[in-house]
């Protein structure tokens, strides 16, 4: 087999991994979760989850991946004598394929809305925009087709390899995304009454905090950091020996949080400036926002037109670098374990997640396509974000904290620098106790045991 790929530079590593983290989770999921769960109070809990559970969790996946330089299954299977841990890697491959399935549907909607903004199809009153979304997302063909198109674009980036495909795309799209985001934030925050939206994001209202808010914050933190599916482990297998794992995890987590916050600063000030309550759920950016942009920039329709195009382009870019990372987990796994060509491996992943995407998409228009009483699309979201990701992260931290040799973990953590004064003790304490206990308690609550 040809030599394994590697990321080519430090910047490439940060941008590709941040590209995985920054996605629809930040721009689509975070704002409606925040709107729904009481604004700033939710954000504080979310931040706590990132610092206490997210960063140690990321470092653990990095350690497993970088040490083994292999796909998710082999990484977990070879780090200790117990081969059974390989199942955690396989769980990761399954989880990420399901996520990619429903994620691609939303990414397909973004493509549609990008086109619709360019052709000025989103103009109209509130009723019209709502109707537009319902007609479009309920259609059996078009959204499913666009979801598959999105997966195919991802496929063709992936088959170009780690440096020429993943790294190059991230280096192009991430800076673009950041620039677009900043422009829209500035436009949104300079609207009249924008202060109310900023206040909503920054002033905590603890009366809305219930136990489910903790759960949602945890699920959101894992989803947003791409944690719990061996995604970071797979990317870390392309890191170099010089990559500082804790520093990289911290930089990526901070960047991811800032971008989620900026997404809030892009959406809420505009929404409040036209008097729209931002708690409308997943359809926020497809039903509420097109109208918000129109009304807010009614004094200068050309600006509204451009902002709308920039917004949906931003969503497409954000989604693209994330779907790449989900796809890569399965691709690397099939490529190395079945010993087939990378392009054939990519096709297996593409077909699997396209099938999931098609059924998820159909379930939006036809809620009879259900699993356990929920439309398939919502079921996949809930199952992965609130169960499978926490379980994956829990198993990883038990694995790294208790089963992998401590010397190995220390060497990877400090990059073999025995003189390094590092946070190793703090990290080890988190991975051994804090992370497993917190996730375990939260899962028990989820299952109704406590
Ligand atoms: N983190 C991405 C987002 O916020 C989604 C994502 C990419 C992901 N790779 C993942 C989520 C792996 C879970 C697991 O949109």
């Amino acid at each position: 087999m040809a030599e394994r790929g590697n990321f080519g530079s430090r910047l490439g590593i940060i941008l590709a991994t941040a590209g995985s983290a920054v996605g629809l989770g930040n721009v689509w999921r975070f704002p409606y979760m925040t709107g729904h769960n009481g604004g700033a109070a939710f954000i504080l809990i979310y931040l706590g989850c990132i610092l206490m559970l997210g960063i140690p969790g990321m470092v653990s996946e990095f350690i497993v991946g970088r040490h083994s330089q292999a796909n998710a299954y082999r990484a977990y299977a070879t780090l200790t004598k117990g081969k059974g841990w390989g199942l955690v890697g396989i769980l990761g491959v399954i989880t990420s394929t399901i996520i990619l399935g429903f994620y691609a549907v939303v990414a397909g909607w973004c493509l549609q809305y990008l086109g619709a903004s360019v052709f000025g199809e989103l103009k109209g009153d509130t009723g019209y925009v709502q109707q537009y979304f319902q007609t479009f997302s309920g259609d059996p063909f078009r959204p499913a087709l666009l979801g598959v198109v999105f997966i195919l674009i991802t496929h063709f980036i992936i088959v170009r390899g780690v440096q020429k495909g993943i790294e190059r795309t991230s280096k192009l799209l991430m800076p673009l995304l950041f620039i677009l985001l900043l422009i829209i934030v500035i436009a949104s925050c300079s609207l009249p009454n924008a202060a109310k939206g900023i206040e909503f994001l920054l002033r905590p209202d603890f009366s809305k905090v219930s136990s489910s808010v903790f759960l949602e914050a945890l699920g959101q933190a894992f989803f947003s950091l791409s944690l719990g599916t061996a995604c970071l482990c797979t990317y870390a297998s392309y890191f170099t020996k010089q990559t500082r794992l804790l520093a990289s995890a911290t930089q990526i987590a901070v960047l991811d949080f800032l971008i989620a916050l900026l997404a809030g600063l892009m959406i809420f000030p505009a929404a409040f400036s036209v008097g729209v309550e931002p708690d409308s759920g997943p359809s926020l950016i497809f039903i509420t926002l097109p109208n918000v942009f129109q009304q807010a920039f009614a004094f200068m329709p050309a600006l509204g037109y451009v902002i709308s195009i920039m917004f949906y382009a931003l969503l497409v870019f954000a989604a693209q670098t994330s779907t790449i990372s989900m796809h890569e987990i399965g691709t690397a796994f099939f490529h190395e374990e079945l010993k087939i060509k990378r392009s054939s491996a990519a096709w297996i992943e593409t077909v699997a997640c396209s099938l999931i995407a098609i059924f998820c998409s159909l379930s939006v228009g036809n809620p009879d396509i259900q699993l356990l009483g929920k439309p398939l699309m919502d079921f996949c979201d809930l199952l992965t974000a609130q169960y499978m990701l926490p379980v994956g992260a829990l198993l990883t931290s038990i694995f790294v904290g208790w089963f992998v040799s401590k010397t190995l973990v220390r060497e990877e953590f400090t990059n073999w620098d025995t003189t390094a004064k590092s946070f190793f003790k703090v990290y080890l304490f988190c991975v051994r106790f804090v992370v497993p206990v917190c996730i375990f308690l939260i899962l028990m609550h989820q299952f109704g045991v406590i």
Side-chain angles (χ1 to χ4, degrees), residues 18-27 29 95-96 99 103 220-232 256 318-319 321-327 329 389:
S20 165
V22 174
L24 295 177
N26 304 58
V27 196
R29 218 165 174 279
T95 313
S96 54
I99 297 182
Y103 201 90
Q220 173 62 21
F222 284 179
F223 188 88
S224 192
L225 295 173
S226 308
L227 248 179
T229 69
C231 179
L232 299 174
D256 186 66
T321 47
S322 295
T323 54
I324 291 175
S325 72
M326 294 178 223
H327 199 293
I329 309 172
L389 299 185

Side-chain angles (χ1 to χ4, degrees), residues 352-368:
C353 57
S354 295
L355 286 175
I356 298 176
I358 291 170
F359 283 105
C360 279
S361 177
L362 289 177
S363 80
V364 178
N366 178 0
D368 288 340

Side-chain angles (χ1 to χ4, degrees), residues 277-400:
E277 279 296 319
D279 57 357
S280 59
S283 55
L284 176 71
I285 63 170
F286 296 105
I287 295 182
T288 316
L289 271 196
N291 220 267
V292 164
F293 286 147
Q294 247 182 81
Q295 288 182 42
F297 298 101
F299 62 93
M300 205 174 155
L303 183 61
Y305 172 80
V306 175
I307 295 270
S308 171
I309 296 178
M310 292 204 295
F311 178 72
Y312 290 107
L314 175 135
L315 280 166
V316 169
F317 296 163
Q320 186 64 75
T321 47
S322 295
T323 54
I324 291 175
S325 72
M326 294 178 223
H327 199 293
E328 178 64 22
I329 309 172
T331 301
F333 170 71
F334 295 123
H335 172 48
E336 292 172 11
E337 294 310 312
L338 303 181
K339 307 204 173 16
I340 51 179
K341 278 199 305 207
R342 192 172 155 87
S343 59
S344 317
W347 275 118
I348 301 182
E349 182 64 23
T350 296
V351 171
C353 57
S354 295
L355 286 175
I356 298 176
I358 291 170
F359 283 105
C360 279
S361 177
L362 289 177
S363 80
V364 178
N366 178 0
D368 288 340
I369 304 181
Q370 292 189 346
L371 260 180
L372 301 181
K374 283 200 182 292
L376 189 64
M377 176 94 173
D378 305 1
F379 176 81
C380 289
D381 185 348
L382 194 83
L383 173 76
T384 51
Q386 296 199 11
Y387 294 94
M388 294 174 88
L389 299 185
V391 168
L394 173 67
L395 292 174
T396 301
S397 75
I398 294 177
F399 179 59
V400 175

